[in-house]
Amino acid sequence: MTPRLELKNINKRYPGVVANDDISLSIMPGEIHAILGENGAGKSTLMKIIYGAIEADSGEIYCDGNLVERHNPAISRQLGIEMVYQHFALFESVSVVENIALAMRGRFDLKALSEQVRALSQRYGMPVDPKRIVHDLSVGERQRVEIVRCLLQDPKLLILDEPTSVLTPQAVEKLFETLRQLAAEGCSILYISHKLEEIQQLCERATVLRNGAVTGVADARTTSSLELARMMVGSELPKTSHPPATPSSEPVLEVRGLTAEVAEGFGVSLRDVSLSVRAGEIVGIAGVSGNGQAELISYLSGETIAEKADTVRLLGQPAGHLDPARRRQRGLAFVPEERLGRGAVPTLSLQENAILTGHRRGMVRHGLLDRKKAAEFADHVIRRFSVKARNAQSVAQSLSGGNLQKFIVGREIELEPKVLLVSQPTWGVDVGAAAFIRQTLIDISRQGTAVLVVSEELDELFEICDRLVVMCAGLVSRPLETAETNREEVGLLMTGLDKTTQSRKEVDLALHD
Amino acid sequence: MRFTIEQRPEPSVTMRLAAPVIATALTLFVGSILFLALGHDPLRAFHAFFIQPISTMNGLSELLLKASPLILIACGLAIGFRANVWNIGAEGQLIMGAIAASGIGLFWPNPDSVLLLPLMFLAGMLAGMAWAGIPAFLRARMNTNEILVTLMLTYVAALVLSWLVHGPWRDPMGFNFPQTALLPPAAMFEPFDYAYRLTPAIFITVVAVIAMWLFTDRSFMGYKLTVGGAAPRAARYAGFRESSAIWVGLLAGGGAAGIAGMAEAAGPLGQLSSTISPGYGFAAIIVAFIGRLNAFGIVLGGLLLSLLILGGETVQITLGMPSAITRILQGILLFFLLAADFFIFYRLRRLKEAV
């Protein structure tokens, strides 16, 4: 049988990153095929290449045995490839059928289309009222609209990008039934996820990606979660060579029962989060991003103010009510995930960006800027962290992501903080510099700084952290001693397989629906 | 052949210098076509537009007289604009400043007091700030849109002015014209020379330009505002308060506009009338942007706009062109200036045909 879709040696690189490294895979008609990998493994890039939204640097795509020579989304749709994005593209102020009509080619008759939508949605067991305004629909219903929109095109291959990340368990079950029905009718399904359990439940085969390359193709139904997790997060042994921690007895950064409800679709609600970091140790937060890390970090940095001051404690004092400036005054420093626009002002020079958080270190006198001091500080950071920039006058946005990251990490470390929060410390940074940043983090922790690291890279966390917690769906796991745990345990916690948290999650989500 | 617009990796220094030259050349070119089509000699028209207005002492005096409030207000507004605080109601703040200053000038018990001018200056500034303080309070507390509030308050201010000059403050000896009595001499700036209208009030503008440069380029507060405008999330990350940017941004513009209103009343006008400003508050927005929100750029922008206003009057008088033509020419020049600026940060790239 000819595969529905076949990829041969797909390569795609972005400056400094290989997003897809020589990827080949094939999907048969009627097959439900999983693409499994951590965030940043290259899944989304690959899907966009298949859909034609971006172009591969090299490689070939065959559809039903025919080489696809020119590719773009319009051609995809001619070929019968449809994609449901992770983030929906619906107009909220108009009705379901009008939204669907917008995506149709040529003329349409709203009345007939309504009937078609109704019939189709009934047939696949996902009822949608075509007349309702999208604004009033729940997230699950919106996804149905997206899927119905694709199904109207009578697709031969349906791509779903992390479709369950916004769904309740009940909605997931319904979605799976629909997908199985579709597959039984001959439609191939490419299912992108990092959730092992779902993939085992739904898919026949799974292609596992790590760092942009295929690490294996497995039979999803017979391979154990442990094995899949290992393929996904990698099994190289950590290069831990850091001196033992001598942490303080009292925590210097503490979160106590932080709960923060967020309206659905506006982020992840934090649920009774507690954790503590002592002076002299590095604590890592593992987890696939989008599970509440960003929200938690912004409560810690002060960009979001907590309702109760006591839920965040800094150096033994309640700090949840303090703004970022006051927290910094008390000795907090923070490297955010986004470098441009948050950690640095894109249009300002490095020297000016040094002032952003370094202004307490003598760069401001009598309300006036001391540009010389700022330049000295910036030059020092540039030298110590080997930032590749012409000089301190270079504009932040002219630097590569990795180099700007080095500058921001360096700037925050040079502030000699008592507590350092770091999000994704080595994202996009080359191997050598990443090692240096990790070593520096270990060094300052051994000098008495409390360091909290959020990272998607398990290898990195295992290499530098003394303790780990795992975040999943707004919940934080119990702390694990890095020396006493392993990737498998963490990997399972990351995908929500831990029995205790899983049952709680289900209860909460069920109440939600 | 297809083209795409892409951001330059770094702003082009060549284009930064060439942009005004290119804009001027294009304006002269398109303007010539326009004048030829209307049956005028382009050379004469341009002479009347750009040379004639400033070839006399009086012309120069008028140029500075009109540029002064434009530059003063633009300096204040630019501080807000740099922080993404959009005060477009400087016209109303100018009117309130003029009203408050004139009120002091007209009704102060001792009309010969040397304190009169300083008091009027203060009153004008505070009234402008108060009028801008309303949208600042509403935005900081209730997140209202300051664009709408400042604009609407402009109409309120104009109506207050109209009520005053038609009603309680109308000059009883003024043949029913909607204007107040003349301000006493001690409440007015004395011109440098009675042959011309320019007064030492221009020094206020000079001081404002220097203050604006110091504030934006040297002060920490100015730095915070710049960060807040260029990258709001970075400002939040660093802990710079948005509300202080809103207050400073609006009060700076309001204060400057209020002072400009005071200087108009106490300068060339000498009284309050229903048409206190020919739209300086709105024109200053353009000046701020021509000057790229930079103190010295604003000086050039103010002089340019002032020249365009004067030139427009000259061609109407000497060549009998309709006023619409002068506004078209002003529009063409501003368009090309801003369009040329675009290429400092962006460039056109030819797309290779996909294979």
Side-chain angles (χ1 to χ4, degrees):
Chain A
M1 203 157 54
T2 333
R4 174 61 42 83
L5 181 83
E6 198 173 5
L7 303 184
K8 284 187 180 163
N9 313 99
I10 296 287
N11 281 292
K12 177 76 190 174
R13 28 175 90 238
Y14 290 111
V17 205
V18 182
N20 283 169
D21 184 6
D22 205 27
I23 292 180
S24 300
L25 63 85
S26 69
I27 306 143
M28 303 310 284
E31 182 189 350
I32 305 182
H33 192 107
I35 304 284
L36 184 63
E38 290 187 278
N39 273 38
K43 294 173 297 184
S44 291
T45 306
L46 186 63
M47 291 314 110
K48 284 180 190 152
I49 288 172
I50 294 175
Y51 191 58
I54 56 177
E55 212 180 326
D57 295 338
S58 64
E60 288 164 341
I61 303 175
Y62 293 87
C63 192
D64 291 321
N66 304 316
L67 178 66
V68 180
E69 289 188 17
R70 277 189 61 187
H71 205 26
N72 61 46
I75 290 171
S76 276
R77 301 176 73 186
Q78 279 168 26
L79 293 170
I81 302 175
E82 291 286 334
M83 179 153 175
V84 178
Y85 283 96
Q86 198 173 355
H87 305 285
F88 310 141
L90 295 173
F91 294 96
E92 299 215 340
S93 53
V94 297
S95 71
V96 168
V97 65
E98 283 164 324
N99 260 291
I100 290 173
L102 280 169
M104 306 291 283
R105 274 160 295 175
R107 301 168 62 85
F108 54 82
D109 169 10
L110 272 189
K111 222 172 195 170
L113 194 58
S114 290
E115 261 329 293
Q116 239 180 315
V117 168
R118 200 186 304 276
L120 199 69
S121 66
Q122 291 294 344
R123 184 171 141 215
Y124 288 101
M126 20 179 217
V128 181
D129 179 355
K131 295 228 163 46
R132 280 181 68 192
I133 305 295
V134 169
H135 185 263
D136 299 330
L137 301 183
S138 75
V139 184
E141 287 171 311
R142 288 179 199 208
Q143 188 176 49
R144 286 181 204 162
V145 177
E146 290 275 8
I147 294 173
V148 168
R149 178 152 88 180
C150 293
L151 294 186
L152 275 172
Q153 311 293 333
D154 201 12
K156 286 194 278 183
L157 173 66
L158 186 62
I159 305 172
L160 295 117
D161 189 359
E162 306 261 358
T164 60
S165 57
V166 291
L167 295 187
T168 61
Q170 293 84 341
V172 170
E173 204 37 64
K174 277 186 208 149
L175 173 69
F176 284 5
E177 278 167 29
T178 306
L179 294 180
R180 287 194 193 103
Q181 191 182 341
L182 270 171
E185 291 172 10
C187 178
S188 305
I189 290 167
L190 203 47
Y191 187 90
I192 307 163
S193 183
H194 58 262
K195 294 180 186 161
L196 302 172
E197 198 187 21
E198 286 180 357
I199 281 168
Q200 289 173 308
Q201 226 181 313
L202 180 72
C203 304
E204 289 145 43
R205 285 193 302 157
T207 297
V208 188
L209 295 186
R210 176 154 43 91
N211 296 333
V214 175
T215 51
V217 180
D219 185 324
R221 285 162 303 192
T222 56
T223 314
S224 72
S225 335
L226 268 166
E227 203 148 324
L228 285 174
R230 194 179 300 139
M231 285 164 77
M232 184 166 117
V233 299
S235 53
E236 300 97 18
L237 288 169
K239 292 156 268 169
T240 38
S241 60
H242 61 282
T246 47
S248 61
S249 52
E250 291 299 312
V252 290
L253 175 69
E254 208 181 354
V255 183
R256 289 183 179 173
L258 176 64
T259 296
E261 279 298 325
V262 181
E264 225 182 310
F266 288 94
V268 179
S269 296
L270 298 176
R271 283 176 280 165
D272 197 18
V273 169
S274 294
L275 60 87
S276 67
V277 189
R278 293 167 293 179
E281 70 168 350
I282 305 185
V283 175
I285 299 182
V288 179
S289 77
N291 273 292
Q293 295 95 326
E295 288 80 2
L296 175 60
I297 275 286
S298 99
Y299 274 100
L300 296 181
S301 73
E303 284 155 291
T304 310
I305 303 288
E307 250 170 61
K308 292 185 213 125
D310 207 37
T311 47
V312 179
R313 293 173 71 87
L314 205 56
L315 306 168
Q317 299 286 322
H321 58 298
L322 300 179
D323 65 20
R326 295 224 185 85
R327 292 190 205 195
R328 283 181 174 276
Q329 241 158 26
R330 298 199 180 177
L332 182 85
F334 169 38
V335 180
E337 192 175 319
E338 303 88 346
R339 304 144 183 169
L340 272 184
R342 187 167 169 200
V345 184
T347 49
L348 296 185
S349 67
L350 294 181
Q351 173 201 312
E352 288 167 314
N353 269 301
I355 303 171
L356 192 63
T357 60
H359 57 84
R360 278 182 203 85
R361 299 181 64 89
M363 291 177 213
V364 175
R365 271 182 310 176
H366 312 300
L368 293 181
L369 303 177
D370 186 339
R371 286 176 184 269
K372 227 179 102 201
K373 275 260 170 61
E376 281 168 17
F377 182 89
D379 279 331
H380 178 68
V381 171
I382 290 170
R383 252 179 287 120
R384 183 169 167 209
F385 288 83
S386 37
V387 178
K388 284 193 199 80
R390 229 173 296 146
N391 53 42
Q393 307 306 321
S394 299
V395 177
Q397 65 189 1
S398 71
L399 268 65
S400 75
N403 274 303
L404 189 57
Q405 177 74 355
K406 284 192 264 178
F407 180 79
I408 296 171
V409 171
R411 178 185 71 195
E412 298 302 303
I413 286 177
E414 283 297 319
L415 297 175
E416 295 163 4
K418 294 195 180 86
V419 179
L420 178 63
L421 310 174
V422 191
S423 249
Q424 316 296 354
T426 58
W427 243 14
V429 177
D430 57 278
V431 182
F436 177 72
I437 288 177
R438 289 181 189 137
Q439 192 57 54
T440 315
L441 289 176
I442 293 170
D443 292 347
I444 65 163
S445 86
R446 297 307 175 252
Q447 287 154 23
T449 301
V451 182
L452 183 66
V453 179
V454 178
S455 178
E456 283 187 350
E457 283 184 56
L458 269 188
D459 289 342
E460 172 166 277
L461 292 176
F462 271 97
E463 189 178 332
I464 63 176
C465 295
D466 303 302
R467 292 191 299 144
L468 283 177
V469 296
V470 181
M471 258 194 118
C472 182
L475 291 165
V476 163
S477 74
R478 69 200 143 79
L480 309 164
E481 293 289 332
T482 311
E484 291 161 17
T485 183
N486 54 40
R487 281 175 174 60
E488 283 69 30
E489 189 182 9
V490 173
L492 290 178
L493 282 168
M494 269 167 65
T495 43
L497 282 186
D498 182 59
K499 285 295 165 260
T500 54
T501 52
Q502 182 67 12
S503 56
R504 271 176 73 187
K505 194 169 120 189
E506 267 167 13
V507 170
D508 282 350
L509 287 175
L511 288 172
H512 235 101
D513 200 10
Chain B
M1 208 186 300
R2 289 165 63 209
F3 288 93
T4 182
I5 289 165
E6 64 177 21
Q7 196 167 10
R8 293 176 190 271
E10 276 172 63
S12 155
V13 179
T14 327
M15 267 313 286
R16 200 181 280 275
L17 296 173
V21 180
I22 294 171
T24 312
L26 286 170
T27 307
L28 291 178
F29 177 69
V30 176
S32 300
I33 296 174
L34 184 72
F35 290 136
L36 280 174
L38 289 166
H40 289 285
D41 175 7
L43 275 179
R44 261 195 73 202
F46 281 118
H47 184 267
F49 217 108
F50 294 111
I51 311 290
Q52 207 171 321
I54 47 170
S55 50
T56 63
M57 265 310 272
N58 188 50
L60 283 172
S61 154
E62 288 296 303
L63 179 77
L64 292 177
L65 188 80
K66 288 197 159 51
S68 172
L70 287 175
I71 295 169
L72 174 60
I73 300 170
C75 279
L77 291 182
I79 286 175
F81 292 166
R82 289 171 81 105
N84 282 354
V85 174
W86 305 109
N87 174 6
I88 60 166
E91 186 76 3
Q93 293 139 22
L94 178 149
I95 290 172
M96 293 316 275
I99 289 175
S102 304
I104 299 269
L106 289 168
F107 304 114
W108 193 255
N110 176 7
D112 300 320
S113 167
V114 287
L115 285 177
L116 213 46
L117 265 184
L119 280 173
M120 287 167 68
F121 177 88
L122 264 180
M125 182 174 78
L126 290 176
M129 288 168 87
W131 209 241
I134 299 169
F137 176 80
L138 291 175
R139 159 105 192 254
R141 279 302 172 83
M142 278 165 264
N143 205 22
T144 55
N145 184 322
E146 79 278 13
I147 301 176
L148 286 176
V149 180
T150 52
L151 183 63
M152 291 193 294
L153 281 175
T154 297
Y155 299 116
V156 176
L159 289 171
V160 170
L161 173 68
S162 177
W163 169 68
L164 283 173
V165 297
H166 282 95
W169 286 11
R170 185 168 55 186
D171 181 8
M173 317 293 283
F175 307 103
N176 255 349
F177 279 111
Q179 57 194 29
T180 64
L182 283 178
L183 291 170
M188 288 180 58
F189 290 107
E190 195 179 331
F192 290 111
D193 180 326
Y194 279 95
Y196 312 116
R197 297 203 294 166
L198 192 65
T199 69
I202 189 143
F203 293 125
I204 299 175
T205 300
V206 174
V207 171
V209 169
I210 296 167
M212 148 90 184
W213 173 77
L214 272 175
F215 182 81
T216 53
D217 208 65
R218 289 279 174 266
S219 80
F220 186 41
M221 190 68 219
Y223 171 82
K224 288 185 188 176
L225 259 61
T226 305
V227 171
R233 298 183 63 215
R236 218 168 306 138
Y237 158 78
F240 302 159
R241 281 211 205 112
E242 198 196 358
S243 62
S244 60
I246 293 167
W247 279 103
V248 173
L250 275 160
L251 293 186
I259 294 169
M262 174 268 175
E264 282 301 293
L269 302 178
Q271 67 190 148
L272 212 50
S273 73
S274 57
T275 52
I276 181 87
S277 158
Y280 287 138
F282 294 117
I285 298 171
I286 303 172
V287 171
F289 279 99
I290 297 179
R292 298 207 193 102
L293 308 184
N294 164 293
F296 300 109
I298 285 171
V299 172
L300 295 178
L303 291 171
L304 174 70
L305 208 71
S306 173
L307 178 61
L308 283 176
I309 296 170
L310 289 178
E313 287 170 3
T314 317
V315 292
Q316 285 173 50
I317 295 162
T318 60
L319 299 176
M321 283 193 203
S323 69
I325 295 303
T326 70
R327 265 183 271 135
I328 288 174
L329 195 74
Q330 291 164 3
I332 291 172
L333 177 56
L334 295 177
F335 170 78
F336 281 128
L337 266 178
L338 296 176
D341 261 20
F342 178 81
F343 290 97
I344 298 173
F345 301 101
Y346 296 86
R347 64 184 171 205
L348 279 179
R349 190 167 58 87
R350 216 167 98 190
L351 280 180
K352 280 177 283 179
E353 282 299 317
V355 187

